[in-house]
Amino acid sequence: MNITLYKPQKVDGEIKRKDSIYKVPFVSARHHRKLLEYEQTIDYTDMSLEDTDELVGFVCEVYGNQFTLDEFYDGIPSHDLINVIGDVFFYVRTGKDPKEVKEEGNEEGKS
């Protein structure tokens, strides 16, 4: 599963958009165990700042710490934050990219 983070870059005195794409290197069973812990301790309908930071830290871990917590927060659109965390959780659970699963479902429905 890939994740794209926006990274502003100054070129000739102008801020340009530069996207960095990261791939999950390996999802261990420990990641799955940690996800189960979160499900027992976090109320996803009323997440605190600390809960959100914890989950973003988990996303960073799943991606092998290729980016920091701050780089993640700065590189993801605000309206996508919860969806991206959910997509990573789905990937840890199933080993499948949620976007690919949706595309497969759309292909099957076209018959």
Side-chain angles (χ1 to χ4, degrees):
M1 178 178 153
N2 293 337
I3 193 170
T4 303
L5 298 181
Y6 165 77
K7 288 190 174 186
Q9 186 176 23
K10 210 172 207 176
V11 178
D12 297 328
E14 219 177 292
I15 301 289
K16 301 273 185 178
R17 180 180 174 129
K18 180 182 185 245
D19 292 338
S20 295
I21 299 172
Y22 300 93
K23 183 177 173 85
V24 174
F26 173 74
V27 178
S28 70
R30 183 161 309 280
H31 289 116
H32 191 269
R33 184 184 189 291
K34 193 152 194 160
L35 187 144
L36 294 173
E37 284 179 29
Y38 292 145
E39 290 178 346
Q40 292 178 0
T41 59
I42 294 177
D43 178 1
Y44 295 109
T45 62
D46 187 27
M47 288 193 340
S48 68
L49 177 61
E50 292 79 16
D51 292 339
T52 306
D53 284 347
E54 181 72 25
L55 296 180
V56 170
F58 177 74
V59 170
C60 294
E61 285 177 29
V62 169
Y63 279 86
N65 294 309
Q66 297 175 71
F67 47 85
T68 67
L69 198 80
D70 287 335
E71 288 171 328
F72 180 84
Y73 274 127
D74 293 339
I76 292 290
S78 61
H79 61 276
D80 282 341
L81 175 65
I82 301 303
N83 289 332
V84 170
I85 292 170
D87 287 350
V88 171
F89 272 38
F90 183 85
Y91 186 76
V92 169
R93 276 190 197 99
T94 67
K96 296 180 181 180
D97 186 326
K99 292 177 186 96
E100 291 174 9
V101 171
K102 287 176 191 171
E103 289 172 8
E104 288 172 9
N106 288 338
E107 290 297 318
E108 290 172 11
K110 288 184 179 179
S111 304

